[in-house]
Amino acid sequence: MGARRANGYALGRSSRHLPTEEEVSAGGVVITPAAKGFDVAIIARYNRGGRLEWCLPKGHPEGNENFEEAAVREVEEETGIAGSILTDLGSIEYWFTVPTHRVHKTVHHFLLEAVGGELTIEKDPDREAVDVAWVNLDDLDRVLSFPNERRIVKLARQVIEDSL
Protein backbone atom coordinates (compact mmCIF):
# COMPACT_ATOMS: atom_id res chain seq x y z
CA MET A 1 0.00 0.00 0.00
CA GLY A 2 1.27 3.50 -0.84
CA ALA A 3 2.25 6.20 1.61
CA ARG A 4 -0.60 7.97 3.36
CA ARG A 5 -1.06 11.56 4.48
CA ALA A 6 -2.41 12.38 7.91
CA ASN A 7 -5.87 12.91 6.39
CA GLY A 8 -5.91 9.35 5.08
CA TYR A 9 -5.58 10.14 1.36
CA ALA A 10 -2.88 8.38 -0.60
CA LEU A 11 -0.01 10.60 -1.62
CA GLY A 12 0.00 11.37 -5.29
CA ARG A 13 -3.70 10.69 -5.80
CA SER A 14 -4.81 12.81 -8.73
CA SER A 15 -7.88 14.98 -8.26
CA ARG A 16 -8.58 14.83 -12.00
CA HIS A 17 -10.20 11.41 -11.49
CA LEU A 18 -12.82 12.90 -9.17
CA PRO A 19 -16.16 14.09 -10.52
CA THR A 20 -16.45 17.86 -11.06
CA GLU A 21 -19.25 20.09 -9.81
CA GLU A 22 -19.91 23.61 -11.08
CA GLU A 23 -20.74 26.33 -8.53
CA VAL A 24 -21.74 29.93 -9.19
CA SER A 25 -21.83 32.77 -6.66
CA ALA A 26 -22.30 36.53 -6.70
CA GLY A 27 -21.16 39.22 -4.32
CA GLY A 28 -19.10 42.29 -4.22
CA VAL A 29 -17.20 45.23 -2.92
CA VAL A 30 -19.59 47.36 -0.86
CA ILE A 31 -18.16 50.80 -0.10
CA THR A 32 -18.97 53.68 2.22
CA PRO A 33 -17.22 57.06 2.48
CA ALA A 34 -14.54 57.16 5.18
CA ALA A 35 -12.23 59.75 6.71
CA LYS A 36 -9.64 58.57 4.16
CA GLY A 37 -11.29 57.48 0.91
CA PHE A 38 -13.65 54.54 1.30
CA ASP A 39 -14.18 51.62 3.66
CA VAL A 40 -15.25 48.18 2.42
CA ALA A 41 -17.37 45.67 4.35
CA ILE A 42 -15.69 42.24 4.47
CA ILE A 43 -16.44 39.04 6.33
CA ALA A 44 -14.47 36.37 8.13
CA ARG A 45 -15.51 32.77 7.68
CA TYR A 46 -14.08 29.32 8.08
CA ASN A 47 -13.37 27.56 4.78
CA ARG A 48 -14.30 23.94 4.12
CA GLY A 49 -10.93 22.94 5.56
CA GLY A 50 -11.51 24.84 8.82
CA ARG A 51 -9.15 27.77 8.15
CA LEU A 52 -10.28 31.34 8.99
CA GLU A 53 -10.38 33.57 5.90
CA TRP A 54 -11.22 37.26 5.40
CA CYS A 55 -13.08 37.68 2.14
CA LEU A 56 -15.59 39.64 0.15
CA PRO A 57 -19.22 38.70 0.81
CA LYS A 58 -20.71 36.32 -1.76
CA GLY A 59 -23.15 33.47 -2.14
CA HIS A 60 -25.26 31.37 -4.45
CA PRO A 61 -28.22 32.83 -6.36
CA GLU A 62 -31.56 31.59 -5.05
CA GLY A 63 -34.60 30.75 -7.15
CA ASN A 64 -34.77 32.95 -10.24
CA GLU A 65 -32.35 35.59 -8.97
CA ASN A 66 -29.94 37.10 -11.46
CA PHE A 67 -26.35 37.75 -10.38
CA GLU A 68 -27.03 41.39 -9.43
CA GLU A 69 -29.97 40.45 -7.19
CA ALA A 70 -27.97 37.64 -5.58
CA ALA A 71 -25.03 39.98 -4.93
CA VAL A 72 -27.22 42.60 -3.22
CA ARG A 73 -28.97 39.96 -1.08
CA GLU A 74 -25.77 38.12 -0.14
CA VAL A 75 -23.94 41.34 0.79
CA GLU A 76 -26.80 42.30 3.10
CA GLU A 77 -27.16 38.82 4.60
CA GLU A 78 -23.46 38.41 5.29
CA THR A 79 -22.59 41.98 6.35
CA GLY A 80 -25.88 43.62 7.41
CA ILE A 81 -25.22 46.39 4.86
CA ALA A 82 -27.82 47.19 2.20
CA GLY A 83 -26.11 48.04 -1.05
CA SER A 84 -26.96 49.49 -4.43
CA ILE A 85 -25.00 48.28 -7.46
CA LEU A 86 -22.79 50.88 -9.10
CA THR A 87 -21.11 48.68 -11.72
CA ASP A 88 -20.04 45.17 -12.67
CA LEU A 89 -16.46 44.28 -11.68
CA GLY A 90 -16.27 41.04 -13.62
CA SER A 91 -15.88 37.44 -12.57
CA ILE A 92 -13.23 35.20 -11.13
CA GLU A 93 -12.90 31.43 -11.50
CA TYR A 94 -11.06 28.94 -9.36
CA TRP A 95 -10.87 25.24 -8.57
CA PHE A 96 -10.68 23.39 -5.29
CA THR A 97 -11.08 19.82 -4.17
CA VAL A 98 -13.16 18.36 -1.37
CA PRO A 99 -12.97 14.68 -0.40
CA THR A 100 -15.68 13.54 -2.83
CA HIS A 101 -15.29 15.87 -5.83
CA ARG A 102 -13.58 18.81 -7.50
CA VAL A 103 -15.34 22.17 -7.64
CA HIS A 104 -15.08 24.69 -10.45
CA LYS A 105 -16.41 27.94 -9.01
CA THR A 106 -17.26 31.18 -10.79
CA VAL A 107 -17.93 34.30 -8.70
CA HIS A 108 -19.52 37.40 -10.24
CA HIS A 109 -18.47 40.61 -8.45
CA PHE A 110 -20.08 44.04 -8.36
CA LEU A 111 -19.17 47.41 -6.87
CA LEU A 112 -21.93 48.48 -4.50
CA GLU A 113 -22.60 51.67 -2.57
CA ALA A 114 -23.76 51.19 1.02
CA VAL A 115 -27.26 52.69 1.32
CA GLY A 116 -28.28 51.47 4.77
CA GLY A 117 -27.98 48.88 7.48
CA GLU A 118 -25.42 48.22 10.19
CA LEU A 119 -22.54 45.76 10.30
CA THR A 120 -23.75 42.45 11.68
CA ILE A 121 -23.50 38.76 10.95
CA GLU A 122 -26.90 38.13 12.54
CA LYS A 123 -28.71 38.24 9.16
CA ASP A 124 -26.64 35.39 7.69
CA PRO A 125 -29.09 32.46 7.43
CA ASP A 126 -26.28 29.96 6.78
CA ARG A 127 -24.18 31.23 9.71
CA GLU A 128 -21.08 31.12 7.50
CA ALA A 129 -19.81 34.56 8.49
CA VAL A 130 -18.17 34.58 11.91
CA ASP A 131 -17.09 38.25 11.88
CA VAL A 132 -17.58 41.37 9.79
CA ALA A 133 -15.59 44.60 9.58
CA TRP A 134 -15.22 47.86 7.70
CA VAL A 135 -11.69 47.95 6.32
CA ASN A 136 -10.22 50.89 4.45
CA LEU A 137 -9.92 50.27 0.71
CA ASP A 138 -6.18 50.99 0.91
CA ASP A 139 -5.68 48.31 3.61
CA LEU A 140 -7.52 45.42 1.93
CA ASP A 141 -4.40 44.01 0.26
CA ARG A 142 -3.05 43.16 3.72
CA VAL A 143 -6.34 41.76 5.05
CA LEU A 144 -8.04 39.73 2.29
CA SER A 145 -7.03 36.08 2.15
CA PHE A 146 -7.19 35.53 -1.61
CA PRO A 147 -5.14 37.07 -4.42
CA ASN A 148 -8.08 36.88 -6.85
CA GLU A 149 -10.22 38.98 -4.48
CA ARG A 150 -7.35 41.45 -4.08
CA ARG A 151 -7.40 41.81 -7.89
CA ILE A 152 -11.16 42.54 -7.79
CA VAL A 153 -10.50 45.21 -5.14
CA LYS A 154 -7.75 46.70 -7.31
CA LEU A 155 -10.25 46.95 -10.16
CA ALA A 156 -12.83 48.53 -7.81
CA ARG A 157 -10.23 51.07 -6.70
CA GLN A 158 -9.51 51.95 -10.34
CA VAL A 159 -13.23 52.35 -11.11
CA ILE A 160 -13.61 54.64 -8.09
CA GLU A 161 -10.57 56.73 -9.04
CA ASP A 162 -11.78 57.04 -12.65
CA SER A 163 -15.21 58.19 -11.43
CA LEU A 164 -13.98 60.95 -9.14
Side-chain angles (χ1 to χ4, degrees):
M1 180 168 265
R4 298 254 175 210
R5 292 184 181 172
N7 64 8
Y9 287 98
L11 290 174
R13 178 178 174 183
S14 173
S15 63
R16 69 178 167 249
H17 298 301
L18 293 173
T20 298
E21 289 188 12
E22 298 288 331
E23 286 189 14
V24 177
S25 290
V29 178
V30 60
I31 60 172
T32 192
K36 178 183 161 211
F38 293 91
D39 285 346
V40 177
I42 63 172
I43 63 164
R45 65 176 178 84
Y46 289 100
N47 69 14
R48 296 175 199 206
R51 186 172 55 109
L52 186 68
E53 302 168 332
W54 282 96
C55 54
L56 299 172
K58 65 182 174 297
H60 303 285
E62 294 180 357
N64 293 325
E65 281 182 327
N66 62 35
F67 298 135
E68 294 88 352
E69 293 165 334
V72 169
R73 178 185 49 76
E74 285 290 342
V75 164
E76 186 165 7
E77 285 181 359
E78 292 189 348
T79 68
I81 302 301
S84 175
I85 291 183
L86 299 172
T87 192
D88 187 331
L89 293 174
S91 303
I92 58 175
E93 294 182 53
Y94 54 94
W95 293 82
F96 59 94
T97 303
V98 295
T100 59
H101 60 277
R102 291 179 350 143
V103 177
H104 176 230
K105 187 158 189 168
T106 303
V107 183
H108 301 275
H109 287 92
F110 300 89
L111 178 63
L112 298 92
E113 173 186 22
V115 295
E118 294 182 22
L119 279 184
T120 181
I121 59 172
E122 296 305 314
K123 291 184 171 187
D124 184 3
D126 301 324
R127 300 288 183 231
E128 290 176 351
V130 296
D131 200 359
V132 62
W134 285 113
V135 176
N136 192 270
L137 186 62
D138 293 336
D139 296 329
L140 284 174
D141 278 352
R142 293 189 306 273
V143 178
L144 288 174
S145 297
F146 300 106
N148 55 10
E149 289 191 349
R150 292 192 290 272
R151 285 191 299 273
I152 290 290
V153 167
K154 182 178 180 181
L155 179 57
R157 184 181 299 114
Q158 188 63 52
V159 168
I160 292 166
E161 289 172 3
D162 290 350
S163 300
L164 297 178

